[in-house]
Amino acid sequence: MKSDQSMSTPIILKGKNTSTDVRSNPAEFSCVSMKSDQSKDKPATFKGRHTSADLSHNSQLIQSGFKSSLMQKFQCLYEGIAKQGNPTLLNEIYTELYITESESGGINKEHEVRQIETQSRRAATEDTPIKCSDIFRPLPGQEKPIRTVLTKGVAGIGKTVSVQKFILDWADGKENQDVQLIFPLPFRELNLMKDKTLSLLDLLHIFFPETKEMEISSNEYKVLFIFDGLDECRLSLNFNVKLCDISESASVDELLMNLIEGNLLPSALIWITSRPAAADLVPSECVHRVTEVRGFSEPQ
């Protein structure tokens, strides 16, 4: 990288699978992370007129760029109106929430205040507690992998904060390093796209401009999509159109449903949060685990 000619030569990044290349401009550092447990064992390789030191340096830049942008976005909580109140570092105030695995995605018709009272009386022996960072890890005795998780919880119980903490711990290199990319897509923001027709790639390019430097495929990266606030969804959630090509254009609701069903990016992990009343908008056969945020445990 010491000549004009080498500066114009694109860097080709190859992951574990070599069928898809990721092209990145070495002058742009806001690229998507490739950091994972697997990538540590088999480091990403580059092609071009570069020394081994150049390759290592650029690999580190690509690994850290996307995570750094997510850390900046999610490291603070705001008191009052979002982005206008007083910022507080999440890691300084976060207390682990009490999350349990539910038997099913059944809908509780009681008022949410009544649900909180019922939960507080539930015997601890009836619960299977799960750490937020472990929601995609099977419990002892569970053999099938978990692809899609639906997390329920009444309003204000801490679902969004749990999502924020999950992302922050991943970006900070503490948890779930087998996941290479996390795409948080809140329904509140997706609602603004409901009249658009675009491909999944186009959607990711809008929300995450760094992905323009990549070629995302089901085999190249282990990715996680987080759809927070299903109860706020204003999309029609059409399960009748099948899509398998991430470059094929469709409505946003059709893109989401094909992601959830596993037609698009079948190896991608999906995490959906919702108030209980809206949890049945996702067909139960598409959900591999249902969890419930119940606030704090008795000692907490």
Side-chain angles (χ1 to χ4, degrees), residues 123-141:
T125 55
E126 299 177 11
D127 299 327
T128 304
I130 299 176
K131 290 180 61 178
C132 180
S133 58
D134 294 340
I135 61 169
F136 286 99
R137 297 186 180 118
L139 294 170

Side-chain angles (χ1 to χ4, degrees), residues 97-283:
L97 289 166
Y98 190 50
I99 303 175
T100 62
E101 184 174 48
S102 300
E103 291 297 326
S104 68
I107 306 305
N108 191 333
K109 299 298 184 181
E110 292 182 322
H111 190 278
E112 288 191 353
V113 172
R114 181 64 177 171
Q115 291 180 43
I116 295 174
E117 294 174 349
T118 303
Q119 290 169 0
S120 66
R121 293 194 301 267
R122 189 183 304 168
T125 55
E126 299 177 11
D127 299 327
T128 304
I130 299 176
K131 290 180 61 178
C132 180
S133 58
D134 294 340
I135 61 169
F136 286 99
R137 297 186 180 118
L139 294 170
Q142 296 178 343
E143 298 180 357
K144 293 184 178 180
I146 297 170
R147 178 183 184 267
T148 302
V149 174
L150 173 64
T151 296
K152 303 184 298 181
V154 298
I157 200 69
K159 300 183 297 296
T160 297
V161 174
S162 294
V163 166
Q164 189 168 337
K165 178 63 173 173
F166 185 100
I167 296 172
L168 191 60
D169 284 348
W170 171 79
D172 202 24
K174 297 178 180 177
E175 299 285 352
N176 294 289
Q177 295 305 288
D178 58 317
V179 176
Q180 293 167 299
L181 301 171
I182 293 182
F183 298 124
L185 295 167
F187 278 103
R188 185 177 296 181
E189 296 180 20
L190 290 172
N191 290 336
L192 304 176
M193 310 286 291
K194 65 179 181 179
D195 297 324
K196 302 287 186 180
T197 299
L198 68 175
S199 69
L200 178 60
L201 279 179
D202 293 333
L203 183 69
L204 293 178
H205 292 169
I206 291 172
F207 283 94
F208 309 96
E210 301 94 334
T211 59
K212 293 180 180 179
E213 304 297 328
M214 308 178 63
E215 294 180 17
I216 300 175
S217 72
S218 60
N219 296 322
E220 186 72 15
Y221 306 103
K222 182 175 182 179
V223 302
L224 164 61
F225 290 87
I226 302 180
F227 301 116
D228 188 30
L230 178 62
D231 48 281
E232 297 180 292
C233 178
R234 300 297 177 262
L235 306 172
S236 59
L237 300 182
N238 185 0
F239 278 91
N240 298 320
V241 177
K242 185 174 181 179
L243 302 171
C244 298
D245 186 350
I246 61 175
S247 62
E248 183 178 356
S249 295
S251 64
V252 173
D253 62 293
E254 290 170 349
L255 294 178
L256 298 188
M257 292 306 96
N258 278 275
L259 268 175
I260 293 172
E261 286 187 314
N263 300 322
L264 284 174
L265 297 178
S267 63
L269 301 176
I270 308 292
W271 187 11
I272 305 167
T273 72
S274 177
R275 292 168 67 171
D280 61 344
L281 292 176
V282 178

